[in-house]
Amino acid sequence: MTDSAAAPAVQAAAAIRAAGARVTPARVQVLALLRGAAGPLTHLEVEKALGPLAGDRVTLYRALDWLVSAGLAAKATDASRVFRYTATGPAAEHIAHAHFRCEACGRIFCLDAPPPAAPELPAGFRLARMEVDLHGQCPACAAAQP
């Protein structure tokens, strides 16, 4: 493996180690893939992309769930109720933008636009997170319709 090809795996391993967890091949491979993906991926897409490196399905599910619980990945349901996973970045940069969900193909796109400010909450409420999802059709699906 070349240095440039090893870099995503090395960075993924460092992020896992920084989260205080054991570095496993499954976690490293999945996190490196999610970090390099153009958009959120389903379990099946992760499995296909990793091929034999994915291991068995149970190990892959456990790796994905662990990455989500550790805050290194985010999990969201698409329009067809399939979970999609995406890597989060340093300082939770993934939550600093809105998402567009295509209701035709189910893909989720990260938008460059920042989400709106959180509304003022009643006394005693504490905001843990805020998610902004826009729904419609992506360019490919919109062009396919008459």
Side-chain angles (χ1 to χ4, degrees):
M1 190 180 297
T2 66
D3 286 344
S4 61
V10 170
Q11 292 169 354
I16 293 165
R17 200 172 291 108
R22 188 168 56 94
V23 176
T24 67
R27 290 174 181 173
V28 170
Q29 294 298 327
V30 173
L31 183 56
L33 174 68
L34 292 178
R35 285 182 164 186
L41 303 173
T42 66
H43 177 275
L44 183 59
E45 290 168 337
V46 171
E47 186 176 24
K48 285 182 178 178
L50 292 178
L53 295 174
D56 62 80
R57 286 185 173 188
V58 173
T59 300
L60 184 53
Y61 274 116
R62 287 181 180 157
L64 286 164
D65 285 343
W66 183 85
L67 290 169
V68 170
S69 68
L72 296 172
K75 174 177 156 180
T77 308
D78 67 13
S80 58
R81 297 186 179 171
V82 174
F83 287 122
R84 290 185 175 269
Y85 300 86
T86 188
T88 57
E93 70 186 24
H94 184 77
I95 61 172
H97 61 261
H99 294 103
F100 184 91
R101 296 173 184 269
C102 180
E103 293 179 336
C105 68
R107 290 184 60 206
I108 303 169
F109 301 86
C110 295
L111 302 177
D112 288 333
E120 187 174 327
L121 298 174
F125 283 79
R126 257 193 249 177
L127 181 65
R129 72 173 193 246
M130 186 174 97
E131 298 174 6
V132 177
D133 289 339
L134 304 172
H135 295 256
Q137 292 183 337
C138 69
C141 292
Q145 289 191 334

